[in-house]
Amino acid sequence: METVPSLERFRRRDWLKTEPEGSVRFALVGLGSFTREWIIPALERSTYNEATCLVSGDAEKADRIAEEHGVGSAVTYEGFLDGTADDSYDAVYIATPNALHLPYAEHAAANGKHVLCEKPMEATADRAREMVETCEAAGVTLMVAYRLQFNPTVRWVRSLLREGTLGMPVHVRGAMSQDIFEAISPDPNQWRLDPELSGGAALADLGLYPLNTSRFLLDADPTEVTAQVSNRHDAFEGVDESIAFTVSYDDGTVGAYTASQRSDVTSHLHVTGTAGTVRLEPTFFGEVEATLQTDEGTLTVEPGEENEMIEEFDYFASRVLTDVDVAPDGRHGLEDMRTIERLYRDAGLDLG
Amino acid sequence: METVPSLERFRRRDWLKTEPEGSVRFALVGLGSFTREWIIPALERSTYNEATCLVSGDAEKADRIAEEHGVGSAVTYEGFLDGTADDSYDAVYIATPNALHLPYAEHAAANGKHVLCEKPMEATADRAREMVETCEAAGVTLMVAYRLQFNPTVRWVRSLLREGTLGMPVHVRGAMSQDIFEAISPDPNQWRLDPELSGGAALADLGLYPLNTSRFLLDADPTEVTAQVSNRHDAFEGVDESIAFTVSYDDGTVGAYTASQRSDVTSHLHVTGTAGTVRLEPTFFGEVEATLQTDEGTLTVEPGEENEMIEEFDYFASRVLTDVDVAPDGRHGLEDMRTIERLYRDAGLDLG
């Protein structure tokens, strides 16, 4: 397809405007499997970052992992909030249970440290708003870790949409689901199923991916939303086991989505316009493959070598080191928190 | 996959219980392109039917097409309602604009003729209810022409779901869209875009396919529904150009759907359960292909030789000739009409 923009520009870090000097020293707060298996290795391979402090509820665990990876500082959550490790880091990556994000962001901001916070930002929109306001008042950078936004294939698809390759976007269709008892933990009391700690299960943990990636691709925000929840298993009392939802975007596109924590795996995002369809499939659990279909034919993009986490952290560092604003920033993440709450309200789910 | 039921049973007319004697003589009311290009050829190849009367607003057109296909009787709409052709048919197939279905069904019922009515049944649920009650009072058979329900691959997928091949169904995702100005007519004043004649555009004409096929596959009915409409083109004033909607079913499955009359073509229905996913894609515009994915592997069913319309008409005739109830009957279609109205109401669309 001659009229399609090249993917190469996005594989060569289209976001890198100015080569930064130095690097960002990161404190990693929360040493769950995602931090251990994805973030620490990503930082080891990143260009502008290093992990210099590990923070866990379990002092022994923090020490052990720090030693394994040659990280200089290891502290408990309490030690971190007491300021014990303040000199060891320039920025904090927060990957605790959702309802515990805010205090670590507040401590970082109060000490002039920048914040990269996992999604969803917090358990409630109110607490996410507090995080935004605290970081703004302190003049520190706050970014939300929407890793898909740093995937070169996703960024390329966004450029297709901007250049009108699909005509006018009409529909977005997204799905993300897993069996949480197989994929994460068999424990029915895990924090992701506790409404106070998580702020929701299927939508807040999974459905947020296709929702946020839609916003990114369309460069549009939700106007109206509707949702329906289906709960069958006792472990999901107070949170959503499965959800279907629709979102109208301010460009006139309408989206239909599904997410579930007790389902066969699904992972895709399709955008259909007046002149074609692009399918990102799989999308959300790692490798991203894209298929573009228009009157000109079909173009398939195989998963590249890129690592979303390396891209995300290097982007963040490049902005912090050159004092440039980030996207997706805290206000972008806060918009999602508000949308999540509106969707749960529409579904009649009371998260307390 | 050893545990998967065989498709062959469904390709050999699983619905044929008793070989009927004789055949059903059909009056075809409405000679639009679907009747001419699909129904007349299907009846010529069917086992238990023949077209014996053609009915059109245009007498010359009816005569010409009757002569081309060797059909004995041709009358105008007025002539049909006057009873001119009553002796020439045993059943009526109604494919006029939606808001004109009722009078032909009433005339047929009053004369003891059976009714096969295109979907949607009428322009409003009230008029569909009248049709149901009229046919019930007259003791004639009323079936709604949901052709997908007679596709052997769709019936096979239904059996997979019944036998638990996917575990418990969790989500259904469906999409059907076209550019009506390319696919049907460039006329912005065509009846499908007139709310009084059509009763809706994207949902009533297209979205109804994935909705009804979901009901058939799950053997479940909608409980709660939500919808959002997006209209951009002037021609869609009063009807829906594009729609996204969700449906909760009484088995706990939730569905997310999109439909559009001004979009690139989409045509699929996916069911994800706790143990696998089945994708019907393409589904709604002719050929049906199925892909089943479970832990056992992937099974793809290529489109068969079957013709949905022949199956649909022969099924109808087999039931009428042996005096057995049909499915999908009028009450099944009426349920869809009520769901359509609820969806439009939720979307804030006022069809007058």
Side-chain angles (χ1 to χ4, degrees):
Chain A
M1 295 188 190
E2 284 185 20
T3 59
V4 171
S6 160
L7 178 61
E8 281 314 304
R9 183 161 74 87
F10 301 95
R11 289 195 165 147
R12 287 199 216 102
R13 301 192 153 185
D14 61 294
W15 46 262
L16 189 60
K17 309 300 181 195
T18 310
E19 185 75 30
E21 286 181 27
S23 64
V24 172
R25 297 174 308 150
F26 256 100
L28 309 183
V29 182
L31 301 180
S33 61
F34 189 75
T35 302
R36 297 195 313 274
E37 291 164 25
W38 292 97
I39 300 302
I40 293 177
L43 284 171
E44 287 172 345
R45 291 170 54 202
S46 79
T47 313
Y48 313 119
N49 300 278
E50 52 182 326
T52 52
C53 177
L54 301 186
V55 188
S56 168
D58 179 341
E60 189 274 324
K61 179 183 178 183
D63 282 337
R64 178 171 46 80
I65 298 171
E67 191 169 340
E68 275 171 29
H69 292 276
V71 176
S73 170
V75 293
T76 61
Y77 289 140
E78 294 71 22
F80 179 84
L81 293 177
D82 287 345
T84 317
D86 282 354
D87 292 340
S88 72
Y89 64 93
D90 310 310
V92 64
Y93 166 75
I94 305 173
T96 61
N98 302 335
L100 306 177
H101 289 178
L102 180 58
Y104 303 103
E106 285 177 332
H107 180 80
N111 291 280
K113 316 291 188 180
H114 304 289
V115 178
L116 176 54
C117 183
E118 264 305 332
K119 48 58 54 190
M121 281 177 76
E122 249 286 351
T124 69
D126 267 353
R127 290 173 62 85
R129 185 184 42 74
E130 275 189 65
M131 189 189 300
V132 168
E133 290 171 357
T134 300
C135 290
E136 284 180 353
V140 301
T141 295
L142 169 59
M143 187 168 109
V144 184
Y146 291 116
R147 58 184 167 79
L148 269 294
Q149 296 197 17
F150 300 97
N151 183 289
T153 303
V154 173
R155 295 176 76 85
W156 171 75
V157 167
R158 183 191 200 205
S159 78
L160 298 183
L161 288 164
R162 285 182 170 178
E163 297 194 16
T165 307
L166 300 186
M168 193 184 299
V170 176
H171 282 139
V172 186
R173 295 177 299 279
M176 186 177 185
S177 63
Q178 65 182 2
D179 185 325
I180 196 169
F181 301 123
E182 284 179 14
I184 306 294
S185 159
D187 181 2
N189 297 313
Q190 58 189 298
W191 72 261
R192 284 184 170 80
L193 304 184
D194 177 337
E196 296 206 354
L197 283 174
S198 66
L203 171 61
D205 190 34
L206 303 177
L208 177 53
Y209 281 90
L211 170 63
N212 182 267
T213 309
S214 298
R215 290 177 64 198
F216 179 70
L217 291 178
L218 297 172
D219 200 11
D221 285 326
T223 52
E224 301 298 317
V225 302
T226 75
Q228 297 197 63
V229 163
S230 175
N231 280 4
R232 289 157 161 166
H233 192 291
D234 289 346
F236 292 88
E237 194 180 342
V239 296
D240 48 325
E241 178 179 333
S242 301
I243 191 167
F245 59 102
T246 68
V247 178
S248 284
Y249 293 93
D250 55 21
D251 67 346
T253 307
V254 282
Y257 304 88
T258 55
S260 176
Q261 292 283 13
R262 208 163 70 96
S263 158
D264 190 37
V265 169
T266 62
S267 170
H268 67 252
L269 191 68
H270 300 172
V271 184
T272 296
T274 50
T277 292
V278 64
R279 292 158 187 252
L280 289 161
E281 187 166 1
T283 319
F284 302 116
F285 287 116
E287 294 197 326
V288 174
E289 189 169 327
T291 307
L292 169 67
Q293 284 182 295
T294 70
D295 285 347
E296 288 189 61
T298 300
L299 178 65
T300 299
V301 174
E302 302 290 336
E305 295 295 309
E306 60 266 5
N307 177 303
E308 288 164 3
M309 275 63 76
I310 297 176
E311 297 304 295
E312 173 184 279
F313 273 84
D314 272 344
Y315 167 86
F316 179 84
S318 76
R319 292 305 191 262
V320 162
L321 291 168
T322 57
D323 198 21
V324 176
D325 287 346
V326 295
D329 64 10
R331 295 212 168 260
H332 178 89
L334 175 56
E335 180 75 24
D336 282 339
M337 294 301 305
R338 291 188 171 128
T339 303
I340 288 171
E341 290 194 351
R342 289 166 66 199
L343 283 162
Y344 282 143
R345 204 156 49 232
D346 191 75
L349 190 75
D350 182 8
L351 288 160
Chain B
M1 294 189 192
E2 284 184 20
T3 59
V4 171
S6 160
L7 178 60
E8 281 314 303
R9 183 161 73 88
F10 301 94
R11 289 195 165 145
R12 288 199 217 102
R13 301 193 153 184
D14 61 294
W15 47 262
L16 190 60
K17 310 299 180 194
T18 310
E19 185 75 28
E21 286 180 27
S23 65
V24 172
R25 298 174 305 148
F26 256 100
L28 308 183
V29 182
L31 301 180
S33 62
F34 188 75
T35 302
R36 297 195 313 275
E37 291 164 24
W38 293 97
I39 301 303
I40 293 176
L43 285 171
E44 287 172 346
R45 292 171 53 204
S46 79
T47 313
Y48 313 119
N49 300 278
E50 53 182 324
T52 52
C53 177
L54 300 185
V55 188
S56 167
D58 179 342
E60 188 275 324
K61 179 182 178 184
D63 282 337
R64 178 171 47 79
I65 297 169
E67 190 168 341
E68 276 171 28
H69 292 276
V71 176
S73 170
V75 292
T76 61
Y77 289 139
E78 293 73 21
F80 179 85
L81 294 176
D82 286 346
T84 317
D86 282 354
D87 292 340
S88 71
Y89 63 93
D90 310 309
V92 64
Y93 167 75
I94 304 174
T96 60
N98 303 335
L100 307 177
H101 288 179
L102 180 57
Y104 304 103
E106 285 177 332
H107 180 81
N111 291 280
K113 317 291 191 181
H114 305 289
V115 178
L116 175 54
C117 183
E118 263 306 331
K119 45 62 50 191
M121 281 177 76
E122 248 286 351
T124 69
D126 266 354
R127 290 173 63 85
R129 186 184 41 74
E130 275 189 64
M131 189 189 300
V132 168
E133 290 171 357
T134 300
C135 290
E136 285 179 353
V140 301
T141 296
L142 169 60
M143 185 169 111
V144 184
Y146 291 116
R147 58 184 166 78
L148 269 294
Q149 296 197 17
F150 300 96
N151 184 289
T153 303
V154 173
R155 295 175 77 84
W156 170 75
V157 167
R158 186 192 199 205
S159 77
L160 298 183
L161 288 165
R162 284 182 171 179
E163 298 194 15
T165 308
L166 301 185
M168 192 184 297
V170 176
H171 281 140
V172 187
R173 295 177 299 278
M176 185 177 185
S177 63
Q178 65 182 3
D179 185 326
I180 196 171
F181 301 123
E182 284 179 14
I184 306 295
S185 158
D187 181 3
N189 297 312
Q190 59 189 296
W191 72 261
R192 284 183 171 81
L193 305 184
D194 177 337
E196 298 206 351
L197 284 174
S198 67
L203 171 61
D205 190 33
L206 304 176
L208 176 54
Y209 281 89
L211 170 64
N212 182 267
T213 310
S214 298
R215 290 178 63 199
F216 179 70
L217 290 177
L218 298 171
D219 200 10
D221 285 325
T223 52
E224 301 298 317
V225 303
T226 75
Q228 298 197 61
V229 163
S230 175
N231 280 2
R232 288 159 162 164
H233 192 291
D234 289 346
F236 291 88
E237 194 179 342
V239 296
D240 49 324
E241 178 180 332
S242 300
I243 191 166
F245 58 103
T246 68
V247 177
S248 283
Y249 293 93
D250 55 21
D251 66 346
T253 307
V254 282
Y257 304 87
T258 55
S260 176
Q261 292 282 14
R262 207 163 70 97
S263 158
D264 190 36
V265 169
T266 62
S267 170
H268 67 252
L269 191 68
H270 300 173
V271 184
T272 296
T274 50
T277 292
V278 64
R279 293 159 187 251
L280 289 161
E281 186 166 2
T283 320
F284 302 115
F285 288 115
E287 295 196 325
V288 174
E289 189 169 328
T291 307
L292 170 66
Q293 284 182 294
T294 71
D295 285 347
E296 287 190 60
T298 300
L299 178 66
T300 299
V301 174
E302 302 290 336
E305 296 294 309
E306 60 266 5
N307 177 303
E308 288 164 2
M309 274 64 75
I310 296 176
E311 297 302 296
E312 172 184 280
F313 273 84
D314 272 345
Y315 167 86
F316 178 85
S318 77
R319 294 305 191 259
V320 162
L321 292 168
T322 57
D323 197 21
V324 175
D325 287 346
V326 296
D329 65 9
R331 294 213 170 260
H332 178 89
L334 175 56
E335 180 75 23
D336 281 338
M337 294 301 305
R338 290 187 172 128
T339 303
I340 288 171
E341 290 193 351
R342 289 166 66 199
L343 283 162
Y344 282 144
R345 203 157 48 233
D346 191 75
L349 190 74
D350 182 7
L351 288 160

